[in-house]
Amino acid sequence: MTDVAAKDSLTVTDNRTGQTYDIAITDNTIAAKDLGQIRLDDEQPGLATYDPGFVNTASCRSSVTYIDGDKGILEYRGYPIEQLAEKSNFLEVAYLLIHGELPTKEQYDAWVHEITYHTFVHENVKTFMQGFRYDAHPMGMLMASVGALSTFYPDARNISDADNRHMQIVRMIAKMPTLGAWSFRHAQGKPYVYPDNDLGYTANFLSMLFKMSESKFEADERLVKALDVLFILHADHEQNCSTNAVRSVGSSQVDPYSAVSAGVGALYGPLHGGANEAVLRMLKRIGSKENIPAFIDGVKDGNERLMGFGHRVYKNYDPRAKIIKKSAEDVFEVTGTNPLLDIALELEKIALEDEYFVKRKLYPNVDFYSGLIYEAFQFPPEMFTVLFAIGRTPGWLAQWSELVQDKDQKIARPKQIYTGDRELTFTAASERWS
Ligand SMILES: CC(C)(COP(=O)(O)OP(=O)(O)OC[C@H]1O[C@@H](n2cnc3c(N)ncnc32)[C@H](O)[C@@H]1OP(=O)(O)O)[C@@H](O)C(=O)NCCC(=O)NCCS
């Protein structure tokens, strides 16, 4: 039995033995290792928790992002996402996530300069990317090429040195748009476009995506702003699947390129980064506003799912969805409206008034409108997740940086409940098959 003050503790009785234990509660959690003292006898392993998917397990302490899903709150380093989307820009938000506080003018200028002058990649990275099949998925190319950067920067293994970590963080935030844009050009059979250091971060990305023979590509400012806001909205989301992948792989003390490559892999999966594409397919299938009531009936009967609605964490309007809706309007002002927007707006209106959705607290999430915007930019659906990955890179790196400096962290190594056979007798193949 442990000697813990009665307050801020949990008293549990193991009914197998009748023993009672006091377990400390800190930050509304108990330490899983404290359960290890609860055991049937000295021969048996201590009690553990079973939690596939970490549904109710905190894996770290973090000061990067705060979410209150019931209230629909998202804050980076304490700043509400609405204010950052309206008044900041992606590179400033990246600085905030990485450094924990807003930059001074000098710090901001130095940061933008550093990022801008690391956008180029080694020519062999280009050759490497050109080796992919003509129809390679851009996420596969991004995952491989960001991982390959670890071989170009072997110094990145020195993760205990703060200056060295900073260098790799700058490189990765700077180079992700280059790699992402080249994976897009590759699929189109178009020449890769080198970065233009006269342009801002997001304008340069658009140039690398869409520039052809013109000497300078100048995107419409409203489109630049809309994409920049989308990057801000995706920049971090606390311990989601890809961030957990970055932390888990990073916990082996591998270099950050390898860890971020694992994050890109996690994001590639349809349960994580692919919902906005599903929204587009759904809207196209509905086809016109008249078909919405029948579609909603199908959802309520359990035959359909209203994609872009509902969230594991948000049981309120996803704060990012509101901002994206506004961005969609701005983008359509430039590109001309998308008939699917009218269907989406009507669908949202009907769903938000319908008891089925109200009762289950199903609100639009970040993906409900983002696919429409990406389509207006003429991105093919395979590129949607690449855009997400570019936006998420500062978040992954802020979390990685926090991880490697956190003395509580250990190599990620969950327990298992073994369900297989034991102590079988092995018979050699020559005997078994004779
Ligand atoms: C995101 C999502 C996976 C969260 O799932 P979850 O937290 O496990 O929520 P649950 O599946 O427990 O849903 C609770 C209830 O709402 C229903 N529900 C959840 N999302 C729904 C949706 N999009 N359309 C219709 N019904 C939905 C479930 O059927 C369940 O109903 P029930 O209580 O009658 O069984 C889920 O809402 C979903 O599939 N949404 C659509 C896909 C999407 O937009 N994903 C992007 C997330 S950013």
Side-chain angles (χ1 to χ4, degrees), residues 7-308:
K7 236 175 136 208
D8 296 329
S9 71
L10 179 75
T11 302
V12 285
T13 303
D14 183 345
N15 292 325
R16 299 171 303 177
T17 60
Q19 277 244 45
T20 296
Y21 302 82
D22 289 330
I23 294 172
I25 298 177
T26 312
D27 296 328
N28 201 36
T29 54
I30 57 165
K33 73 173 165 38
D34 285 351
L35 296 176
Q37 64 186 307
I38 304 175
R39 54 179 76 219
L40 268 178
D41 55 55
D42 291 346
E43 301 291 304
Q44 302 292 325
L47 197 69
T49 57
Y50 176 59
D51 189 6
F54 298 112
V55 176
N56 194 26
T57 298
S59 63
C60 61
R61 290 174 185 282
S62 180
S63 62
V64 181
T65 289
Y66 175 79
I67 299 177
D68 183 332
D70 290 331
K71 297 199 180 110
I73 294 173
L74 169 62
E75 295 170 358
Y76 297 159
R77 301 285 190 183
Y79 293 98
I81 190 69
E82 294 82 359
Q83 295 179 23
L84 295 172
E86 191 192 334
K87 298 180 191 162
S88 186
N89 64 56
F90 180 63
L91 279 192
E92 189 182 32
V93 168
Y95 184 100
L96 172 69
L97 286 168
I98 300 289
H99 295 89
E101 50 194 37
L102 290 169
T104 61
K105 168 97 175 77
E106 290 72 30
Q107 288 166 333
Y108 176 75
D109 289 345
W111 173 249
V112 171
H113 181 86
E114 273 190 303
I115 302 278
T116 307
Y117 284 86
H118 283 91
T119 47
F120 276 70
V121 295
H122 192 289
E123 278 295 288
N124 287 2
V125 174
K126 188 173 137 199
T127 316
F128 166 77
M129 291 183 78
Q130 283 168 331
F132 278 92
R133 253 177 67 141
Y134 68 97
D135 59 352
H137 194 292
M139 271 303 262
M141 289 182 69
L142 185 67
M143 177 169 56
S145 52
V146 73
L149 288 184
S150 73
T151 67
F152 290 84
Y153 304 111
D155 57 316
R157 274 175 287 185
N158 184 10
I159 61 164
S160 56
D161 181 81
D163 291 341
N164 194 296
R165 285 200 302 271
H166 176 79
M167 188 70 253
Q168 315 314 328
I169 287 170
V170 166
R171 282 178 174 148
M172 226 174 314
I173 294 174
K175 294 179 201 308
M176 284 294 268
T178 312
L179 302 177
W182 287 3
S183 64
F184 171 75
R185 301 285 291 202
H186 184 85
Q188 305 206 324
K190 290 181 180 157
Y192 297 2
V193 177
Y194 286 107
D196 180 344
N197 290 351
D198 293 338
L199 298 174
Y201 188 85
T202 304
N204 171 50
F205 177 52
L206 287 169
S207 164
M208 291 188 288
L209 288 164
F210 299 120
K211 184 169 180 289
M212 290 307 290
S213 62
E214 62 274 49
S215 59
K216 196 145 197 95
F217 182 87
E218 281 172 39
D220 188 295
E221 269 308 310
R222 290 166 294 179
L223 294 183
V224 175
K225 173 71 186 158
L227 192 54
D228 203 73
V229 166
L230 279 159
F231 285 157
I232 293 175
L233 299 185
H234 286 94
D236 198 53
H237 213 228
E238 50 122 299
Q239 305 311 313
N240 56 89
C241 177
S242 58
T243 301
N244 182 57
V246 170
R247 278 183 173 264
S248 186
V249 172
S251 75
S252 73
Q253 302 193 348
V254 74
D255 68 88
Y257 300 98
S258 303
V260 165
S261 174
V264 177
L267 192 59
Y268 198 172
L271 291 188
H272 192 356
N276 46 16
E277 189 186 338
V279 172
L280 273 186
R281 272 192 266 113
M282 172 190 77
L283 294 174
K284 284 178 185 162
R285 201 155 48 81
I286 295 173
S288 77
K289 284 203 247 179
E290 295 73 63
N291 298 334
I292 292 177
F295 175 79
I296 294 277
D297 287 345
V299 173
K300 295 198 303 202
D301 292 344
N303 303 323
E304 301 270 9
R305 190 146 267 240
L306 177 49
M307 299 311 289

Side-chain angles (χ1 to χ4, degrees), residues 275 299 305-312 315 356 360 362 365 367:
V299 173
R305 190 146 267 240
L306 177 49
M307 299 311 289
F309 260 65
H311 198 277
R312 171 59 62 78
K315 301 302 170 197
Y356 175 94
R360 290 170 178 77
L362 300 171
N365 61 48
D367 290 317

Side-chain angles (χ1 to χ4, degrees), residues 339-354:
L340 296 180
L341 177 67
D342 292 338
I343 299 176
L345 289 168
E346 185 67 13
L347 194 53
E348 179 189 336
K349 190 165 151 277
I350 292 178
L352 289 178
E353 285 166 1
D354 192 295

